[in-house]
Amino acid sequence: MKKLIFSLLSLLAVWACSDGRQTPFSYRGLPMNQSVAAFVGALQARGFAVDSAASDSGRTVVLSSAAEKYRVLVAFRDTALLVVQETYQLSTNDSTRRMWQHVRDGLERELGAWPDCPLLKDDHKVANFDAGDGLVSVILENTYRPTLTVRYTKKK
């Protein structure tokens, strides 16, 4: 009987301490559960401009900013966001390796989770973070052109 009462009190304490609100999956503070127009508008308010030559009006929008080192690709279906991807193109393989480590460590601290790293070679690395209702992937590809990609994908 004591164990039953203790178990019920423990469950009650856990329930009381949890606020019941779950933060939505977000990209740099922008929730990914908003419409594409609102999301792109928020990025434009942050200084990004739509690159209409690189965008596909029915599926993707590409944004860039002179102040940032990356371009943002927003993929959507109807009005729902599917994927947001940052693409960095740096000058050397060493600079992309350092940036990969910096981004990976930052996401590890921000999400409070260790990544799943299915590929860890010198010139090709992948780190996948499970962020609850989405996945964040940090991908390094040092082939002909050093490229670092950070991809935010909503779970279905």
Side-chain angles (χ1 to χ4, degrees):
M1 187 69 174
K2 288 181 187 180
K3 289 181 183 180
L4 179 64
I5 292 173
F6 182 73
S7 298
L8 287 173
L9 289 176
S10 297
L11 285 173
L12 192 63
V14 168
W15 177 74
C17 291
S18 67
D19 59 1
R21 290 179 292 159
Q22 188 176 21
T23 58
F25 184 54
S26 66
Y27 165 75
R28 295 187 179 259
L30 297 174
M32 289 186 60
N33 59 358
Q34 60 185 333
S35 71
V36 175
F39 190 83
V40 170
L43 283 174
Q44 287 176 327
R46 292 182 177 186
F48 284 86
V50 174
D51 182 354
S52 58
S55 298
D56 175 6
S57 62
R59 293 183 207 123
T60 61
V61 175
V62 177
L63 300 113
S64 60
S65 170
E68 300 294 340
K69 298 178 185 176
Y70 57 89
R71 294 170 56 99
V72 177
L73 177 130
V74 178
F76 58 93
R77 182 178 303 128
D78 298 327
T79 61
L81 286 170
L82 299 175
V83 176
V84 177
Q85 176 176 301
E86 297 176 351
T87 304
Y88 298 79
Q89 289 189 344
L90 302 168
S91 58
T92 65
N93 288 350
D94 288 338
S95 60
T96 53
R97 284 186 198 113
R98 281 193 300 272
M99 179 68 94
W100 184 87
Q101 191 65 46
H102 176 73
V103 170
R104 180 195 171 278
D105 292 346
L107 284 169
E108 191 175 295
R109 281 190 302 276
E110 180 183 332
L111 298 173
W114 288 93
D116 174 32
C117 296
L119 190 57
L120 277 175
K121 297 180 180 178
D122 283 343
D123 289 327
H124 193 169
K125 299 179 183 194
V126 176
N128 296 318
F129 292 89
D130 188 354
D133 51 349
L135 297 171
V136 182
S137 299
V138 184
I139 305 162
L140 171 71
E141 295 176 324
N142 282 339
T143 52
Y144 299 109
R145 180 183 279 174
T147 304
L148 175 69
T149 303
V150 183
R151 186 177 304 140
Y152 294 75
T153 307
K154 284 176 54 174
K155 289 182 183 174
K156 296 180 182 183

